[in-house]
PDB file of all heavy atoms in Angstrom:
ATOM      1  N   GLU Q 172      88.707  86.456  86.730  1.00  0.00           N
ATOM      2  CA  GLU Q 172      87.840  87.174  87.673  1.00  0.00           C
ATOM      3  C   GLU Q 172      87.643  88.621  87.248  1.00  0.00           C
ATOM      4  O   GLU Q 172      86.548  89.166  87.361  1.00  0.00           O
ATOM      5  CB  GLU Q 172      88.438  87.139  89.078  1.00  0.00           C
ATOM      6  CG  GLU Q 172      88.441  85.780  89.733  1.00  0.00           C
ATOM      7  CD  GLU Q 172      89.166  85.793  91.062  1.00  0.00           C
ATOM      8  OE1 GLU Q 172      90.034  86.669  91.287  1.00  0.00           O
ATOM      9  OE2 GLU Q 172      88.864  84.919  91.895  1.00  0.00           O
ATOM     10  N   ALA Q 173      88.715  89.246  86.772  1.00  0.00           N
ATOM     11  CA  ALA Q 173      88.626  90.644  86.334  1.00  0.00           C
ATOM     12  C   ALA Q 173      87.674  90.775  85.156  1.00  0.00           C
ATOM     13  O   ALA Q 173      86.833  91.685  85.124  1.00  0.00           O
ATOM     14  CB  ALA Q 173      90.012  91.168  85.968  1.00  0.00           C
ATOM     15  N   LYS Q 174      87.780  89.865  84.209  1.00  0.00           N
ATOM     16  CA  LYS Q 174      86.896  89.907  83.043  1.00  0.00           C
ATOM     17  C   LYS Q 174      85.440  89.684  83.462  1.00  0.00           C
ATOM     18  O   LYS Q 174      84.529  90.345  82.962  1.00  0.00           O
ATOM     19  CB  LYS Q 174      87.330  88.849  82.027  1.00  0.00           C
ATOM     20  CG  LYS Q 174      86.688  88.982  80.696  1.00  0.00           C
ATOM     21  CD  LYS Q 174      87.365  88.076  79.686  1.00  0.00           C
ATOM     22  CE  LYS Q 174      87.402  88.844  78.392  1.00  0.00           C
ATOM     23  NZ  LYS Q 174      88.445  88.488  77.508  1.00  0.00           N
ATOM     24  N   GLU Q 175      85.228  88.772  84.404  1.00  0.00           N
ATOM     25  CA  GLU Q 175      83.885  88.496  84.918  1.00  0.00           C
ATOM     26  C   GLU Q 175      83.299  89.730  85.609  1.00  0.00           C
ATOM     27  O   GLU Q 175      82.141  90.080  85.397  1.00  0.00           O
ATOM     28  CB  GLU Q 175      83.959  87.322  85.894  1.00  0.00           C
ATOM     29  CG  GLU Q 175      82.647  86.913  86.502  1.00  0.00           C
ATOM     30  CD  GLU Q 175      82.843  85.759  87.469  1.00  0.00           C
ATOM     31  OE1 GLU Q 175      83.464  84.746  87.077  1.00  0.00           O
ATOM     32  OE2 GLU Q 175      82.383  85.878  88.616  1.00  0.00           O
ATOM     33  N   LEU Q 176      84.127  90.419  86.408  1.00  0.00           N
ATOM     34  CA  LEU Q 176      83.663  91.619  87.099  1.00  0.00           C
ATOM     35  C   LEU Q 176      83.360  92.742  86.113  1.00  0.00           C
ATOM     36  O   LEU Q 176      82.375  93.464  86.266  1.00  0.00           O
ATOM     37  CB  LEU Q 176      84.687  92.073  88.143  1.00  0.00           C
ATOM     38  CG  LEU Q 176      84.313  93.271  88.994  1.00  0.00           C
ATOM     39  CD1 LEU Q 176      82.978  93.060  89.700  1.00  0.00           C
ATOM     40  CD2 LEU Q 176      85.404  93.580  90.000  1.00  0.00           C
ATOM     41  N   VAL Q 177      84.166  92.876  85.089  1.00  0.00           N
ATOM     42  CA  VAL Q 177      83.902  93.878  84.051  1.00  0.00           C
ATOM     43  C   VAL Q 177      82.556  93.597  83.394  1.00  0.00           C
ATOM     44  O   VAL Q 177      81.750  94.519  83.191  1.00  0.00           O
ATOM     45  CB  VAL Q 177      85.032  93.904  82.990  1.00  0.00           C
ATOM     46  CG1 VAL Q 177      84.620  94.688  81.763  1.00  0.00           C
ATOM     47  CG2 VAL Q 177      86.305  94.493  83.581  1.00  0.00           C
ATOM     48  N   GLN Q 178      82.297  92.350  83.091  1.00  0.00           N
ATOM     49  CA  GLN Q 178      81.020  91.989  82.466  1.00  0.00           C
ATOM     50  C   GLN Q 178      79.846  92.278  83.395  1.00  0.00           C
ATOM     51  O   GLN Q 178      78.807  92.780  82.963  1.00  0.00           O
ATOM     52  CB  GLN Q 178      81.024  90.517  82.055  1.00  0.00           C
ATOM     53  CG  GLN Q 178      81.945  90.218  80.905  1.00  0.00           C
ATOM     54  CD  GLN Q 178      82.076  88.735  80.621  1.00  0.00           C
ATOM     55  OE1 GLN Q 178      81.640  87.900  81.414  1.00  0.00           O
ATOM     56  NE2 GLN Q 178      82.698  88.405  79.498  1.00  0.00           N
ATOM     57  N   LYS Q 179      80.010  91.974  84.682  1.00  0.00           N
ATOM     58  CA  LYS Q 179      78.929  92.220  85.638  1.00  0.00           C
ATOM     59  C   LYS Q 179      78.669  93.713  85.816  1.00  0.00           C
ATOM     60  O   LYS Q 179      77.515  94.139  85.894  1.00  0.00           O
ATOM     61  CB  LYS Q 179      79.243  91.577  86.986  1.00  0.00           C
ATOM     62  CG  LYS Q 179      79.104  90.076  86.971  1.00  0.00           C
ATOM     63  CD  LYS Q 179      79.350  89.501  88.346  1.00  0.00           C
ATOM     64  CE  LYS Q 179      79.154  87.992  88.348  1.00  0.00           C
ATOM     65  NZ  LYS Q 179      79.351  87.424  89.689  1.00  0.00           N
ATOM     66  N   LEU Q 180      79.740  94.504  85.888  1.00  0.00           N
ATOM     67  CA  LEU Q 180      79.563  95.949  86.031  1.00  0.00           C
ATOM     68  C   LEU Q 180      78.948  96.556  84.777  1.00  0.00           C
ATOM     69  O   LEU Q 180      78.126  97.467  84.856  1.00  0.00           O
ATOM     70  CB  LEU Q 180      80.895  96.627  86.365  1.00  0.00           C
ATOM     71  CG  LEU Q 180      81.437  96.372  87.769  1.00  0.00           C
ATOM     72  CD1 LEU Q 180      82.839  96.964  87.904  1.00  0.00           C
ATOM     73  CD2 LEU Q 180      80.523  96.947  88.826  1.00  0.00           C
ATOM     74  N   THR Q 181      79.333  96.055  83.635  1.00  0.00           N
ATOM     75  CA  THR Q 181      78.754  96.527  82.380  1.00  0.00           C
ATOM     76  C   THR Q 181      77.277  96.157  82.305  1.00  0.00           C
ATOM     77  O   THR Q 181      76.459  96.938  81.815  1.00  0.00           O
ATOM     78  CB  THR Q 181      79.517  95.940  81.184  1.00  0.00           C
ATOM     79  OG1 THR Q 181      80.907  96.281  81.312  1.00  0.00           O
ATOM     80  CG2 THR Q 181      79.006  96.485  79.869  1.00  0.00           C
ATOM     81  N   ALA Q 182      76.931  94.983  82.826  1.00  0.00           N
ATOM     82  CA  ALA Q 182      75.542  94.522  82.805  1.00  0.00           C
ATOM     83  C   ALA Q 182      74.639  95.362  83.708  1.00  0.00           C
ATOM     84  O   ALA Q 182      73.419  95.359  83.533  1.00  0.00           O
ATOM     85  CB  ALA Q 182      75.468  93.062  83.215  1.00  0.00           C
ATOM     86  N   LEU Q 183      75.229  96.086  84.661  1.00  0.00           N
ATOM     87  CA  LEU Q 183      74.422  96.961  85.520  1.00  0.00           C
ATOM     88  C   LEU Q 183      73.793  98.087  84.711  1.00  0.00           C
ATOM     89  O   LEU Q 183      72.838  98.705  85.151  1.00  0.00           O
ATOM     90  CB  LEU Q 183      75.272  97.553  86.656  1.00  0.00           C
ATOM     91  CG  LEU Q 183      75.699  96.598  87.759  1.00  0.00           C
ATOM     92  CD1 LEU Q 183      76.613  97.323  88.738  1.00  0.00           C
ATOM     93  CD2 LEU Q 183      74.502  96.020  88.476  1.00  0.00           C
ATOM     94  N   ASP Q 184      74.338  98.359  83.543  1.00  0.00           N
ATOM     95  CA  ASP Q 184      73.796  99.357  82.618  1.00  0.00           C
ATOM     96  C   ASP Q 184      73.666 100.740  83.265  1.00  0.00           C
ATOM     97  O   ASP Q 184      72.614 101.369  83.209  1.00  0.00           O
ATOM     98  CB  ASP Q 184      72.439  98.888  82.088  1.00  0.00           C
ATOM     99  CG  ASP Q 184      72.345  99.038  80.593  1.00  0.00           C
ATOM    100  OD1 ASP Q 184      73.396  99.283  79.968  1.00  0.00           O
ATOM    101  OD2 ASP Q 184      71.236  98.925  80.062  1.00  0.00           O
ATOM    102  N   ILE Q 185      74.748 101.182  83.869  1.00  0.00           N
ATOM    103  CA  ILE Q 185      74.758 102.480  84.539  1.00  0.00           C
ATOM    104  C   ILE Q 185      74.965 103.563  83.487  1.00  0.00           C
ATOM    105  O   ILE Q 185      75.917 103.501  82.709  1.00  0.00           O
ATOM    106  CB  ILE Q 185      75.856 102.530  85.617  1.00  0.00           C
ATOM    107  CG1 ILE Q 185      75.531 101.485  86.682  1.00  0.00           C
ATOM    108  CG2 ILE Q 185      75.987 103.914  86.216  1.00  0.00           C
ATOM    109  CD1 ILE Q 185      76.572 101.293  87.722  1.00  0.00           C
ATOM    110  N   PRO Q 186      74.076 104.571  83.471  1.00  0.00           N
ATOM    111  CA  PRO Q 186      74.200 105.634  82.464  1.00  0.00           C
ATOM    112  C   PRO Q 186      75.531 106.389  82.591  1.00  0.00           C
ATOM    113  O   PRO Q 186      76.022 106.609  83.685  1.00  0.00           O
ATOM    114  CB  PRO Q 186      73.033 106.571  82.773  1.00  0.00           C
ATOM    115  CG  PRO Q 186      72.148 105.843  83.715  1.00  0.00           C
ATOM    116  CD  PRO Q 186      72.940 104.761  84.355  1.00  0.00           C
ATOM    117  N   ARG Q 187      76.088 106.743  81.459  1.00  0.00           N
ATOM    118  CA  ARG Q 187      77.316 107.533  81.330  1.00  0.00           C
ATOM    119  C   ARG Q 187      78.579 106.806  81.794  1.00  0.00           C
ATOM    120  O   ARG Q 187      79.659 107.386  81.776  1.00  0.00           O
ATOM    121  CB  ARG Q 187      77.186 108.871  82.057  1.00  0.00           C
ATOM    122  CG  ARG Q 187      76.139 109.783  81.460  1.00  0.00           C
ATOM    123  CD  ARG Q 187      76.114 111.117  82.165  1.00  0.00           C
ATOM    124  NE  ARG Q 187      75.756 111.001  83.552  1.00  0.00           N
ATOM    125  CZ  ARG Q 187      74.528 111.119  84.056  1.00  0.00           C
ATOM    126  NH1 ARG Q 187      73.523 111.337  83.253  1.00  0.00           N
ATOM    127  NH2 ARG Q 187      74.298 111.018  85.336  1.00  0.00           N
ATOM    128  N   LEU Q 188      78.491 105.568  82.229  1.00  0.00           N
ATOM    129  CA  LEU Q 188      79.672 104.823  82.655  1.00  0.00           C
ATOM    130  C   LEU Q 188      80.219 104.064  81.445  1.00  0.00           C
ATOM    131  O   LEU Q 188      79.593 103.148  80.931  1.00  0.00           O
ATOM    132  CB  LEU Q 188      79.306 103.859  83.782  1.00  0.00           C
ATOM    133  CG  LEU Q 188      80.446 103.398  84.676  1.00  0.00           C
ATOM    134  CD1 LEU Q 188      81.057 104.588  85.409  1.00  0.00           C
ATOM    135  CD2 LEU Q 188      79.960 102.379  85.672  1.00  0.00           C
ATOM    136  N   LYS Q 189      81.387 104.484  80.983  1.00  0.00           N
ATOM    137  CA  LYS Q 189      81.999 103.916  79.783  1.00  0.00           C
ATOM    138  C   LYS Q 189      82.923 102.755  80.148  1.00  0.00           C
ATOM    139  O   LYS Q 189      83.283 102.591  81.315  1.00  0.00           O
ATOM    140  CB  LYS Q 189      82.783 104.995  79.052  1.00  0.00           C
ATOM    141  CG  LYS Q 189      81.902 106.106  78.529  1.00  0.00           C
ATOM    142  CD  LYS Q 189      82.713 107.138  77.804  1.00  0.00           C
ATOM    143  CE  LYS Q 189      81.795 108.250  77.298  1.00  0.00           C
ATOM    144  NZ  LYS Q 189      82.539 109.337  76.699  1.00  0.00           N
ATOM    145  N   PRO Q 190      83.336 101.964  79.160  1.00  0.00           N
ATOM    146  CA  PRO Q 190      84.223 100.828  79.439  1.00  0.00           C
ATOM    147  C   PRO Q 190      85.520 101.214  80.154  1.00  0.00           C
ATOM    148  O   PRO Q 190      85.994 100.480  81.018  1.00  0.00           O
ATOM    149  CB  PRO Q 190      84.517 100.258  78.052  1.00  0.00           C
ATOM    150  CG  PRO Q 190      83.341 100.638  77.234  1.00  0.00           C
ATOM    151  CD  PRO Q 190      82.890 101.978  77.762  1.00  0.00           C
ATOM    152  N   GLU Q 191      86.089 102.367  79.818  1.00  0.00           N
ATOM    153  CA  GLU Q 191      87.331 102.760  80.504  1.00  0.00           C
ATOM    154  C   GLU Q 191      87.090 103.060  81.980  1.00  0.00           C
ATOM    155  O   GLU Q 191      87.963 102.834  82.811  1.00  0.00           O
ATOM    156  CB  GLU Q 191      88.021 103.939  79.812  1.00  0.00           C
ATOM    157  CG  GLU Q 191      87.166 105.150  79.602  1.00  0.00           C
ATOM    158  CD  GLU Q 191      86.489 105.193  78.245  1.00  0.00           C
ATOM    159  OE1 GLU Q 191      86.405 104.179  77.554  1.00  0.00           O
ATOM    160  OE2 GLU Q 191      86.029 106.278  77.878  1.00  0.00           O
ATOM    161  N   HIS Q 192      85.907 103.535  82.330  1.00  0.00           N
ATOM    162  CA  HIS Q 192      85.575 103.770  83.736  1.00  0.00           C
ATOM    163  C   HIS Q 192      85.435 102.439  84.474  1.00  0.00           C
ATOM    164  O   HIS Q 192      85.925 102.284  85.590  1.00  0.00           O
ATOM    165  CB  HIS Q 192      84.269 104.563  83.872  1.00  0.00           C
ATOM    166  CG  HIS Q 192      84.270 105.855  83.118  1.00  0.00           C
ATOM    167  ND1 HIS Q 192      83.199 106.259  82.367  1.00  0.00           N
ATOM    168  CD2 HIS Q 192      85.204 106.828  82.988  1.00  0.00           C
ATOM    169  CE1 HIS Q 192      83.468 107.420  81.812  1.00  0.00           C
ATOM    170  NE2 HIS Q 192      84.687 107.779  82.167  1.00  0.00           N
ATOM    171  N   VAL Q 193      84.773 101.493  83.820  1.00  0.00           N
ATOM    172  CA  VAL Q 193      84.566 100.175  84.421  1.00  0.00           C
ATOM    173  C   VAL Q 193      85.909  99.495  84.660  1.00  0.00           C
ATOM    174  O   VAL Q 193      86.150  98.919  85.726  1.00  0.00           O
ATOM    175  CB  VAL Q 193      83.649  99.308  83.529  1.00  0.00           C
ATOM    176  CG1 VAL Q 193      83.578  97.883  84.043  1.00  0.00           C
ATOM    177  CG2 VAL Q 193      82.258  99.916  83.446  1.00  0.00           C
ATOM    178  N   VAL Q 194      86.804  99.561  83.687  1.00  0.00           N
ATOM    179  CA  VAL Q 194      88.124  98.945  83.817  1.00  0.00           C
ATOM    180  C   VAL Q 194      88.903  99.583  84.963  1.00  0.00           C
ATOM    181  O   VAL Q 194      89.553  98.882  85.748  1.00  0.00           O
ATOM    182  CB  VAL Q 194      88.900  99.031  82.486  1.00  0.00           C
ATOM    183  CG1 VAL Q 194      90.360  98.707  82.675  1.00  0.00           C
ATOM    184  CG2 VAL Q 194      88.278  98.110  81.461  1.00  0.00           C
ATOM    185  N   LYS Q 195      88.832 100.882  85.095  1.00  0.00           N
ATOM    186  CA  LYS Q 195      89.534 101.558  86.187  1.00  0.00           C
ATOM    187  C   LYS Q 195      88.977 101.125  87.540  1.00  0.00           C
ATOM    188  O   LYS Q 195      89.725 100.931  88.502  1.00  0.00           O
ATOM    189  CB  LYS Q 195      89.425 103.078  86.025  1.00  0.00           C
ATOM    190  CG  LYS Q 195      90.267 103.866  86.996  1.00  0.00           C
ATOM    191  CD  LYS Q 195      91.730 103.485  86.976  1.00  0.00           C
ATOM    192  CE  LYS Q 195      92.395 103.877  85.692  1.00  0.00           C
ATOM    193  NZ  LYS Q 195      93.826 103.572  85.663  1.00  0.00           N
ATOM    194  N   ILE Q 196      87.663 100.962  87.623  1.00  0.00           N
ATOM    195  CA  ILE Q 196      87.041 100.493  88.868  1.00  0.00           C
ATOM    196  C   ILE Q 196      87.524  99.080  89.195  1.00  0.00           C
ATOM    197  O   ILE Q 196      87.858  98.782  90.344  1.00  0.00           O
ATOM    198  CB  ILE Q 196      85.499 100.546  88.752  1.00  0.00           C
ATOM    199  CG1 ILE Q 196      85.033 102.003  88.723  1.00  0.00           C
ATOM    200  CG2 ILE Q 196      84.840  99.787  89.903  1.00  0.00           C
ATOM    201  CD1 ILE Q 196      83.582 102.197  88.335  1.00  0.00           C
ATOM    202  N   VAL Q 197      87.609  98.222  88.194  1.00  0.00           N
ATOM    203  CA  VAL Q 197      88.076  96.852  88.419  1.00  0.00           C
ATOM    204  C   VAL Q 197      89.545  96.851  88.817  1.00  0.00           C
ATOM    205  O   VAL Q 197      89.960  96.066  89.668  1.00  0.00           O
ATOM    206  CB  VAL Q 197      87.830  95.985  87.166  1.00  0.00           C
ATOM    207  CG1 VAL Q 197      88.498  94.629  87.288  1.00  0.00           C
ATOM    208  CG2 VAL Q 197      86.341  95.829  86.929  1.00  0.00           C
ATOM    209  N   ASP Q 198      90.348  97.715  88.239  1.00  0.00           N
ATOM    210  CA  ASP Q 198      91.774  97.781  88.583  1.00  0.00           C
ATOM    211  C   ASP Q 198      91.986  98.219  90.030  1.00  0.00           C
ATOM    212  O   ASP Q 198      92.838  97.677  90.728  1.00  0.00           O
ATOM    213  CB  ASP Q 198      92.509  98.750  87.664  1.00  0.00           C
ATOM    214  CG  ASP Q 198      92.726  98.186  86.270  1.00  0.00           C
ATOM    215  OD1 ASP Q 198      92.612  96.958  86.103  1.00  0.00           O
ATOM    216  OD2 ASP Q 198      93.007  98.987  85.361  1.00  0.00           O
ATOM    217  N   LEU Q 199      91.222  99.197  90.484  1.00  0.00           N
ATOM    218  CA  LEU Q 199      91.459  99.776  91.803  1.00  0.00           C
ATOM    219  C   LEU Q 199      90.594  99.170  92.908  1.00  0.00           C
ATOM    220  O   LEU Q 199      90.892  99.345  94.087  1.00  0.00           O
ATOM    221  CB  LEU Q 199      91.253 101.292  91.743  1.00  0.00           C
ATOM    222  CG  LEU Q 199      92.214 102.006  90.789  1.00  0.00           C
ATOM    223  CD1 LEU Q 199      91.887 103.487  90.717  1.00  0.00           C
ATOM    224  CD2 LEU Q 199      93.652 101.805  91.227  1.00  0.00           C
ATOM    225  N   LEU Q 200      89.529  98.469  92.551  1.00  0.00           N
ATOM    226  CA  LEU Q 200      88.660  97.770  93.493  1.00  0.00           C
ATOM    227  C   LEU Q 200      88.267  98.618  94.714  1.00  0.00           C
ATOM    228  O   LEU Q 200      88.657  98.322  95.839  1.00  0.00           O
ATOM    229  CB  LEU Q 200      89.318  96.463  93.958  1.00  0.00           C
ATOM    230  CG  LEU Q 200      89.581  95.426  92.874  1.00  0.00           C
ATOM    231  CD1 LEU Q 200      90.419  94.289  93.424  1.00  0.00           C
ATOM    232  CD2 LEU Q 200      88.280  94.903  92.306  1.00  0.00           C
ATOM    233  N   PRO Q 201      87.494  99.661  94.498  1.00  0.00           N
ATOM    234  CA  PRO Q 201      87.081 100.493  95.637  1.00  0.00           C
ATOM    235  C   PRO Q 201      86.113  99.730  96.547  1.00  0.00           C
ATOM    236  O   PRO Q 201      85.241  99.011  96.067  1.00  0.00           O
ATOM    237  CB  PRO Q 201      86.379 101.675  94.967  1.00  0.00           C
ATOM    238  CG  PRO Q 201      85.854 101.117  93.688  1.00  0.00           C
ATOM    239  CD  PRO Q 201      86.886 100.096  93.252  1.00  0.00           C
TER     240      PRO Q 201
END
Side-chain angles (χ1 to χ4, degrees):
E172 291 174 336
K174 192 169 218 154
E175 180 181 308
L176 183 55
V177 167
Q178 290 173 349
K179 286 183 178 182
L180 289 173
T181 304
L183 289 176
D184 227 12
I185 297 173
R187 295 183 297 267
L188 202 62
K189 296 181 180 175
E191 54 266 17
H192 305 136
V193 172
V194 166
K195 188 55 68 178
I196 290 168
V197 171
D198 285 343
L199 298 176
L200 297 171

